[in-house]
């Protein structure tokens, strides 16, 4: 028996392995599209993390609020050719209350009503100031002021971050938030400002918890940074020889090295989707407090809402940590580009800037001198805002007002959903898809309450050795590239997955996104992966001859 020949040669596969998984995906999509056209099958692209659901109520509230904003503009000036004024603050709260009363059946009106009252009761907002900001923000008629985040929006998003990232158990004090264009912008701003403010320098040693979202691997390799990367590997296995995707103490011990300036982590991880175990969190906390107190931490927690009781490092060691959160996955809003950077008001970044050498301080005073008379008092997060616009354009910095409005409504929606109905829906959905996928594989799913279920990483080596034995996997290694299964899936079945090795995971692993396809598709994907594995095994059993 011979294995069916595919279009992509092993030499070509080997060359393509050097690409980012997201670039490799384009080649796989082309093959899958060809298969779909020829065989009249549906291409199943499980390579993207973009969810196929949306949170409707906060969007309805946004559009209904927009109607109020337009009314307020026309109230000031209304030209038949489409020219209007801008909202007037005086008496606007009473007019908003009237709008809410008249439009009781409008989509999202209940959320608008409750959000308005939440601001008044929880934060003591002045009613006119609060509604005026809502009206101007949904219309987008002003630059963001304050540029870091609007004054009425920030406390509500702060409440949401405390609820979801700190499990409502925050440390004493407050966080400052910088509203940004999604998690990717947050990464760029953080890397840049750490460098600009001499908190890290080219060639420094950094730690990266892997597997991890590919840009965290690629950015340190850029010439500007050239960081020496120490990988903290989640290579623990259970007694059945299956991945638990946790970090053994031997890996975490690497963080004791005082030469490591900063730790980057995505928690829950991408692609294993596993939250860091509480014991490992405690270990990291002990290391930071006792062995490496100067260690800076950046934690990207975009998938935290998919794990019950999730608690971020930003809550555990706030002095050392920069928190990154994106609204994109949970609320199905990747196109909105909504994210926040959170830094506790008592933090090492500000303290380290104050301790810089006179030469560095002089250089930074010059850099930020055009935006403040006392640049030494400028906090790190406000320096980040300025750096995001090359300092000179700081007066136009900040996330657009409509984006901040939608972000705040997403946050308010979650805060006011006291029974967590929406959260339960999203968690159940991804876990159902995870089960459907693994029910069709030849090895069982490892049940884990820390598994977010947003992605699944399937280790082909573990599968091969568990189901068919060590000799079978050695045969696979001898005759195929680790990405061969991806090309066979794409070309023969129209299924597109990503290579786990591109995320610094096991070389013979694949990533399945459980977010972006109809639920029933995941059974199909599981079946297709199993079919390819059985085809490999059949050829191996019949002496391993390959069709040339």
């Amino acid at each position: 028996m011979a294995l069916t020949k595919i279009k992509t040669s092993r030499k070509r596969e080997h060359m393509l392995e050097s690409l980012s998984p997201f670039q490799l995906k384009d080649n796989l999509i082309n093959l899958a599209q060809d298969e779909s056209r020829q065989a009249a099958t549906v291409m199943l692209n499980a390579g993207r993390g973009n969810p196929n659901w949306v949170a409707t109520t906060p969007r309805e509230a946004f559009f209904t609020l927009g109607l109020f904003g337009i009314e307020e503009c026309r109230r000031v000036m209304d030209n038949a050719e489409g020219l209007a004024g801008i909202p007037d603050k005086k008496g606007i709260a009473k007019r908003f209350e009237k709008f809410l009363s008249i439009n009781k059946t409008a989509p999202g009106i209940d959320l608008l009503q409750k959000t308005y009252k939440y601001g008044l009761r929880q934060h003591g907002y002045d009613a006119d100031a609060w509604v005026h900001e809502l009206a101007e923000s949904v219309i987008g008629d002003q630059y963001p002021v304050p540029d870091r985040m609007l004054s009425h929006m920030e406390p509500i998003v702060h409440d949401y971050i405390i609820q979801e990232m700190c499990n409502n158990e925050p440390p004493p004090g407050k966080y400052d938030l910088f509203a940004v264009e999604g998690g990717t912008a947050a990464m760029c701003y953080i890397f840049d400002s750490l460098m600009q403010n001499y908190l890290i320098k080219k060639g420094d040693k950094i730690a990266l918890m892997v597997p991890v979202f590919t840009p965290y691997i690629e950015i340190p390799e850029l010439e500007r940074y050239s960081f020496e990367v120490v990988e903290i590997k989640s290579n623990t296995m259970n007694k059945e020889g299956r991945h638990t995707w946790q970090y053994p103490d031997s890996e975490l011990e690497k963080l004791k090295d005082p030469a490591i300036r900063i730790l980057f982590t995505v928690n829950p991880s991408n692609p294993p989707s596993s939250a860091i175990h509480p014991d490992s969190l405690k270990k990291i906390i002990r290391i930071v407090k006792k062995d490496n107190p100067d260690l800076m931490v950046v934690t990207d927690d975009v998938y935290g809402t998919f794990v019950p009781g999730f608690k971020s490092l930003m809550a555990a060691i706030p002095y050392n940590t920069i928190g990154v959160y994106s609204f994109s996955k949970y609320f199905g809003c990747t196109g909105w580009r909504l994210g926040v950077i959170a830094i506790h008001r008592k933090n090492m970044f500000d303290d380290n800037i104050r301790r810089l050498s006179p030469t560095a301080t002089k250089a930074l005073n010059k850099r930020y001198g055009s935006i403040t008379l006392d640049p030494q008092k400028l906090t790190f997060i406000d320096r980040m805002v300025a750096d995001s616009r090359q300092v000179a354009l700081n007066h136009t910095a900040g996330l657009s007002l409509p984006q901040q409005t939608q972000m705040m409504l997403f946050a308010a929606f979650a805060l006011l959903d006291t029974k967590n109905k929406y959260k339960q829906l999203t968690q159940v959905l991804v876990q159902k898809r995870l089960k459907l996928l693994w029910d069709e594989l030849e090895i069982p799913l490892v049940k884990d309450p820390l598994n977010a279920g947003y992605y699944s990483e399937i280790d082909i080596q573990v599968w091969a050795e568990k189901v068919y034995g060590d000799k079978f996997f050695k045969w696979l290694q001898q005759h195929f590239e680790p990405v061969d299964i991806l090309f066979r899936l794409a070309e023969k079945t129209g299924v597109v997955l990503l290579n786990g090795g591109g995320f610094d995971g096991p070389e013979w692993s694949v990533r399945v996104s459980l977010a972006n396809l109809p639920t029933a598709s995941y059974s199909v994907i599981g079946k297709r992966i199993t079919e390819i594995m059985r085809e490999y095994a059949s050829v191996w059993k019949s002496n391993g001859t390959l069709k040339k």
Side-chain angles (χ1 to χ4, degrees), residues 3-4 6 8 10 36 54 59 84 94 178 261 275 277-278 287 304 321 365 377 393 441 448 478 494 517:
L3 199 65
T4 305
I6 58 174
T8 310
R10 182 173 185 180
S36 297
V54 298
R59 283 176 167 88
K94 291 296 183 184
F178 175 17
R261 302 290 298 119
H277 193 280
I287 289 173
T321 304
N365 287 347
K377 292 184 178 180
L393 293 169
L441 305 182
D448 181 3
Q478 181 182 353
L517 293 172

Side-chain angles (χ1 to χ4, degrees), residues 6 11 104 106 121-122 152 264 298 309 326 331 333 359 367 377 403 417 531:
I6 58 174
K11 181 179 179 181
K104 289 181 180 179
R121 294 172 181 171
Q122 295 298 117
H152 295 87
F264 292 93
V298 176
S326 168
F331 296 101
C333 61
T359 301
R367 177 176 178 82
K377 292 184 178 180
Q403 286 173 286
D417 181 12
E531 287 169 5

